């Protein structure tokens, strides 16, 4: 499968990951609560509105692709991977918004593909290729969001 078709297949995941940057904010998903280590579970960068808007946007893209179910699974996966990244960052004592190279760029797409794997019909090599191309895509779109004033940091 060519690269553009591959990207098209996982497009809901990209929307689920990007839309919270625009529509997120407000109450944090962890409700401000701390984990057993005394640090925040996810931190203020992961909000309820962000999660819901990401889920709806990604699912809607899936709906437009005539594949609401895959769009939904890809979105839940992308948002879960992003949450896991924040969870790990907080456990390592990293502040909200601090960069975690590779993890920030790839965990969401890896989890999106995992959650949707039985239905995605792509090969492992293609999944690896998608993960690799997601790194520059993520860095590029985040830098753009920063230039547009939607993010405080360019990563
Ligand atoms: N965002 C949100 N809800 C989510 C995911 C993201 O509201 N579930 C919004 C937040 O405003 C967040 C921004 O999108 O600050 C950028 O997302 P991300 O880079 O993933 O979060 P960080 O602020 O960098 O936090 P962390 O260090 O936990 O990754
Ligand atoms: Mg970040």
């Amino acid at each position: 499968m060519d690269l553009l078709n591959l990207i098209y297949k996982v497009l809901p995941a990209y929307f689920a990951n990007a839309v919270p940057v625009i529509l997120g904010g407000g109450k944090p998903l962890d409700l401000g609560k701390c984990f057993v280590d005394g640090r925040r579970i996810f931190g203020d960068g992961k909000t309820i509105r962000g999660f819901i808007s990401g889920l709806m946007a990604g699912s809607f893209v899936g709906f437009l692709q005539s594949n609401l179910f895959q769009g939904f699974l890809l979105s839940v996966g992308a948002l879960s991977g992003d949450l896991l990244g924040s969870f790990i960052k907080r456990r390592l004592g990293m502040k909200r918004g601090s960069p975690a190279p590779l993890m920030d760029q790839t965990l969401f797409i890896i989890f999106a593909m995992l959650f949707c794997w039985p239905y995605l019909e792509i090969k492992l090599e293609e999944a690896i290729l998608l993960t690799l191309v997601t790194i520059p895509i993520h860095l590029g779109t985040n830098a753009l969001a920063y230039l547009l004033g939607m993010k405080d940091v360019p990563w």
Side-chain angles (χ1 to χ4, degrees):
M1 204 181 297
D2 66 55
L3 186 56
L4 280 180
N5 272 315
L6 281 174
I7 291 174
Y8 180 79
K9 268 210 166 185
V10 296
L11 204 59
Y14 290 118
F15 276 82
N17 189 248
V19 164
V21 179
I22 306 162
L23 298 181
K27 210 175 207 171
L29 210 55
D30 65 11
L31 304 174
K33 288 194 173 42
C34 291
F35 196 57
V36 288
D37 55 9
R39 294 180 174 130
R40 288 287 294 278
I41 302 175
F42 302 122
D44 287 331
K46 304 294 119 119
T47 67
I48 296 173
R49 211 165 70 208
F51 193 94
I52 293 172
S53 62
L55 187 61
M56 287 176 61
S59 300
F60 183 64
V61 172
F63 167 74
L64 293 179
Q65 294 176 319
S66 304
N67 215 327
L68 174 63
F69 181 59
Q70 285 193 20
F72 176 79
L73 287 183
L74 286 165
S75 301
V76 176
L79 289 155
S80 303
D82 187 48
L83 276 181
L84 176 66
S86 293
F87 180 78
I88 294 171
K89 283 163 81 171
R90 298 301 89 81
R91 303 290 69 75
L92 297 173
M94 297 167 72
K95 281 209 292 278
R96 173 250 174 115
S98 59
L102 295 184
M103 197 167 78
D104 280 343
Q105 291 82 36
T106 62
L107 218 48
F108 84 93
I109 196 72
I110 292 171
F111 269 71
M113 292 188 288
L114 280 177
F115 272 52
C116 198
W117 192 254
Y119 311 99
L120 214 48
E121 294 179 325
I122 64 173
K123 301 193 196 89
L124 182 61
E125 306 90 87
E126 294 173 325
I128 293 169
L129 175 66
L130 264 178
T131 305
L132 292 176
V133 299
T134 298
I135 297 170
I137 292 173
H138 193 273
L139 288 171
T141 49
N142 276 271
L144 184 67
Y146 169 74
L147 290 174
L148 293 173
M150 296 190 285
K151 278 198 86 175
D152 297 336
V153 287
W155 49 79

